[in-house]
Amino acid sequence: MRKLIYFLFILSFLNSCSSSDSDASNENESAEVPPVRSYVTYISQNSVTLNGVIDNTNNYYQGPGTYKVGFVFRAGNIDDSSNDQVIIVDENVEYEPYKKYFSTNISSLLPNTKYYYTCFTENGNYEENDWEEFTTSEIPCVQLQNNYVSISGVWNTVYPEINDPLCCDEGNFGIRFGTWPNIYEINFNELNNGFPNTGQYFGVDYRFDITDYNKEVVKSSNQVLIDNISTPATELFVNNDGVTLTIIFCNTTLRNGTVLNGKVSVLLP
């Protein structure tokens, strides 16, 4: 009898271990997915590029199979998911130790309107996202005379020229105009060393942020640097028709209190 009880105890223990192993196996059928970061580029009155970046460089997720990446785009209210637009970019992303960038274009938007979005990674029950918001460009003011700029109320004809920023944290493309002591350099930081697209741009303090993670993320994100006197409250507009690049100043206010109005244009090289 004692031997029978001992035998039943051993059998029960083995079944328990087998059940636990099975449960653990089921829990691991879906692998964890890496975190993502959402950001936007090329914001205009009617369109935007949604971007996501996965950084597995120092956080190597090793799971079975692959995972999917994509975006959810939402108009109206951040809490209203009834009209969500889901965009799948890639359904078979490998678990590999690198940075992966992915994007999608959204069009037919309204000017000066707030929208919400997130990129995501997903595998089974595991999902990571990063909800953000952006506002499309306003419609610029009308400035009739080209290459005619008001500096705090004093209007003068100017002769703008393309200016190459020195390097890196000063951007890749610029326009310079004015005469001493009122000389202005309007610099942009664009992807693939390109030119700024049509849209509304906002100032940055002193330098573009090119530290590590932001080095690529901030490019073409509607930022502009005006010497060392722009601030996040500094606004201007760009019109790029593929031949001419025009900068429009609509009460563009600088750190030192100077207010710019008017517009300047250069032929694109």
Side-chain angles (χ1 to χ4, degrees):
M1 184 68 177
R2 188 175 299 173
K3 290 182 178 180
L4 178 60
I5 294 174
Y6 180 76
F7 173 77
L8 292 175
F9 174 80
I10 295 297
L11 183 61
S12 175
F13 177 78
L14 292 176
N15 286 336
S16 174
C17 290
S18 175
S19 176
S20 296
D21 291 342
S22 176
D23 291 342
S25 175
N26 290 334
E27 289 176 2
N28 287 321
E29 284 180 0
S30 298
E32 290 184 63
V33 287
V36 287
R37 179 176 178 181
S38 304
Y39 64 102
V40 288
T41 52
Y42 301 119
I43 304 171
S44 71
Q45 294 175 22
N46 309 114
S47 63
V48 69
T49 298
L50 307 182
N51 301 274
V53 57
I54 302 164
D55 188 359
N56 263 344
T57 306
N58 298 312
N59 200 8
Y60 186 8
Y61 288 82
Q62 300 185 47
T66 59
Y67 59 94
K68 68 174 67 172
V69 300
F71 297 92
V72 179
F73 180 73
R74 184 174 297 176
N77 191 306
I78 182 60
D79 298 318
D80 182 8
S81 61
S82 61
N83 61 351
D84 280 359
Q85 181 180 352
V86 180
I87 304 111
I88 303 298
V89 175
D90 192 341
E91 292 192 275
N92 296 290
V93 180
E94 299 287 343
Y95 286 86
E96 295 182 347
Y98 55 61
K99 284 184 180 178
K100 178 180 177 64
Y101 294 85
F102 55 101
S103 63
T104 191
N105 297 322
I106 302 290
S107 58
S108 301
L109 305 180
L110 298 175
N112 196 26
T113 302
K114 185 178 290 187
Y115 294 94
Y116 308 91
Y117 71 102
T118 184
C119 59
F120 66 83
T121 54
E122 181 185 332
N123 183 355
N125 294 325
Y126 290 94
E127 182 174 342
E128 291 282 346
N129 52 52
D130 177 34
W131 280 97
E132 297 288 350
E133 63 183 49
F134 71 93
T135 301
T136 48
S137 298
E138 296 179 10
I139 298 173
C141 62
V142 176
Q143 303 286 10
L144 297 177
Q145 189 169 341
N146 198 25
N147 295 332
Y148 192 55
V149 175
S150 164
I151 303 174
S152 294
V154 179
W155 290 86
N156 285 289
T157 299
V158 295
Y159 303 92
E161 59 185 8
I162 293 176
N163 171 66
D164 289 326
L166 292 177
C167 179
C168 311
D169 58 359
E170 293 186 0
N172 72 291
F173 174 81
I175 293 178
R176 185 175 188 268
F177 67 87
T179 56
W180 191 89
N182 296 311
I183 299 174
Y184 297 96
E185 294 183 3
I186 319 296
N187 292 351
F188 301 90
N189 187 23
E190 301 300 311
L191 286 166
N192 303 315
N193 288 321
F195 307 114
N197 283 11
T198 297
Q200 184 178 11
Y201 284 71
F202 300 88
V204 296
D205 284 316
Y206 304 108
R207 294 288 184 268
F208 291 112
D209 182 3
I210 62 168
T211 55
D212 190 33
Y213 206 72
N214 287 313
K215 189 171 184 178
E216 295 298 321
V217 170
V218 301
K219 290 184 178 181
S220 301
S221 56
N222 292 60
Q223 295 184 350
V224 62
L225 172 67
I226 304 179
D227 300 309
N228 64 350
I229 51 177
S230 57
T231 75
T234 300
E235 301 179 21
L236 54 78
F237 295 84
V238 171
N239 182 41
N240 183 346
D241 62 9
V243 177
T244 302
L245 191 142
T246 300
I247 297 177
I248 304 167
F249 303 104
C250 302
N251 292 321
T252 300
T253 304
L254 305 177
R255 178 178 289 106
N256 60 5
T258 298
V259 178
L260 302 178
N261 279 287
K263 64 179 178 179
V264 296
S265 295
V266 294
L267 291 174
L268 293 172

